[in-house]
Amino acid sequence: MAGQDPTLTHLDETGAANMVDVSEKNVTHRIAVARGSVTMRRETLDLIRSGNAKKGDVIGTARIAGILAAKKTHELIPLCHPLMLSKVTVDFEIDETLPGLVVTATTKVSGQTGVEMEALTACSLACLTIYDMAKAVDRGMVIGDIRLVEKAGGKSGHWTLDKDGTEGGT
């Protein structure tokens, strides 16, 4: 991305991995939004939509899994800071053109570091939970396009990724 420092922040002067020191950063309100999809057979989508999946409420379970994943991101990704998240939402949209579900995870915090990894982790685990809940009827589902689509707050400001892949921001 234009204007960004090309160095990897999780490497020290010797090239060893380390946790970034955020102690001198300002506390700001930060938000991140990640999006992904689960493509499936139309019959699988209909089963999920009807609420009659054998394992139960697919969307409700995936929502809880995504929220829990966001809260545990620092336990899963070695160099992430533990954060006191102020809000996590995981939303689902039926997309007939896939066919499948589009998953959007939003994370918020007032802190010294961003919440991008928490949003991406929430989205990923929600997608994986959909797969787990429906794999008995459709092992060919495809999880894809998991990506950050927006972040705000902190030194780097506001950044977005449009549907066409164009980066924007202020």
Side-chain angles (χ1 to χ4, degrees):
M1 183 160 107
Q4 279 215 320
D5 184 354
T7 60
L8 297 175
T9 59
H10 285 79
L11 299 178
D12 69 14
E13 60 280 348
T14 69
N18 73 74
M19 186 180 229
V20 174
D21 182 358
V22 297
S23 62
E24 300 299 319
K25 287 184 164 186
N26 292 326
V27 172
T28 62
H29 179 70
R30 298 161 187 264
I31 184 171
V33 180
R35 189 166 292 130
S37 63
V38 184
T39 304
M40 59 194 67
R41 294 190 331 247
R42 187 160 309 282
E43 299 80 21
T44 307
L45 180 59
D46 291 341
L47 183 67
I48 291 170
R49 184 185 349 221
S50 74
N52 292 324
K54 189 174 184 177
K55 287 188 174 184
D57 179 5
V58 174
I59 292 174
T61 304
R63 177 175 286 113
I64 296 298
I67 292 167
L68 179 61
K71 292 166 53 175
K72 293 190 168 281
T73 299
H74 71 281
E75 296 176 20
L76 301 168
I77 301 175
L79 301 177
C80 283
H81 293 84
L83 300 177
M84 291 296 297
L85 296 169
S86 55
K87 183 71 175 169
V88 179
T89 59
V90 182
D91 297 309
F92 302 85
E93 178 185 339
I94 292 174
D95 185 335
E96 299 289 351
T97 62
L98 289 174
L101 296 167
V102 174
V103 179
T104 303
T106 303
T107 52
K108 296 180 181 181
V109 71
S110 288
Q112 294 171 293
T113 189
V115 287
E116 296 93 343
M117 295 311 300
E118 288 73 12
L120 287 161
T121 301
C123 184
S124 298
L125 262 289
C127 289
L128 286 168
T129 300
I130 292 166
Y131 185 94
D132 179 56
M133 298 280 294
K135 70 181 183 244
V137 296
D138 189 353
R139 293 197 187 276
M141 289 178 283
V142 175
I143 295 169
D145 299 322
I146 296 172
R147 64 209 178 275
L148 186 70
V149 295
E150 183 178 3
K151 65 127 338 246
K155 184 177 163 185
S156 62
H158 189 234
W159 176 90
T160 59
L161 181 65
D162 296 330
K163 286 186 181 198
D164 66 0
T166 305
E167 294 184 25
T170 54

